[in-house]
Amino acid sequence: MSAPDDETRFCPYCGVKLKHPYWEHIQSEHPERYTQKETWIKLYQDYRKLGMDEEISLTVISELFNATIDEIKSFLKNKNAL
């Protein structure tokens, strides 16, 4: 199941309408925020909405942020996002 084509997303930091992947904008325009773990929550939610299973979602985030899957799982559980 994919996200609706007409779904509009806005950057939580600057409010700009996003036309490309959420993380790509954050990485290029807000690098200080990109390294913050809170970004993992939105990424995880987005990946799950796109139909990725939990394991793949966690693996992709771990590769993007050079973090362990256990670290990501622990953080998401602590934030009630997993």
Side-chain angles (χ1 to χ4, degrees), residues 21-58:
Y22 172 84
W23 65 267
E24 187 176 292
H25 171 81
I26 302 298
Q27 184 180 35
S28 64
E29 301 299 322
H30 309 287
E32 74 286 353
R33 300 281 190 173
Y34 181 76
T35 60
Q36 294 179 353
K37 291 180 179 181
E38 283 74 20
T39 303
W40 297 354
I41 297 169
K42 180 66 175 156
L43 276 176
Y44 180 76
Q45 292 169 343
D46 285 352
Y47 291 153
R48 297 293 287 155
K49 285 179 189 173
L50 291 172
M52 289 180 153
D53 70 21
E54 180 179 308
E55 185 177 329
I56 292 172
S57 299
L58 294 171

Side-chain angles (χ1 to χ4, degrees), residues 1-80:
M1 173 182 259
S2 62
D5 290 337
D6 61 350
E7 181 178 346
T8 302
R9 296 185 190 185
F10 295 92
C11 174
Y13 306 117
C14 68
V16 71
K17 185 176 179 180
L18 300 177
K19 295 183 180 179
H20 45 74
Y22 172 84
W23 65 267
E24 187 176 292
H25 171 81
I26 302 298
Q27 184 180 35
S28 64
E29 301 299 322
H30 309 287
E32 74 286 353
R33 300 281 190 173
Y34 181 76
T35 60
Q36 294 179 353
K37 291 180 179 181
E38 283 74 20
T39 303
W40 297 354
I41 297 169
K42 180 66 175 156
L43 276 176
Y44 180 76
Q45 292 169 343
D46 285 352
Y47 291 153
R48 297 293 287 155
K49 285 179 189 173
L50 291 172
M52 289 180 153
D53 70 21
E54 180 179 308
E55 185 177 329
I56 292 172
S57 299
L58 294 171
T59 299
V60 172
I61 295 169
S62 82
E63 290 173 1
L64 284 172
F65 289 88
N66 195 27
T68 67
I69 291 175
D70 287 339
E71 179 183 3
I72 296 163
K73 264 185 166 176
S74 176
F75 176 78
L76 293 175
K77 283 180 183 177
N78 287 337
K79 296 293 184 176
N80 295 318

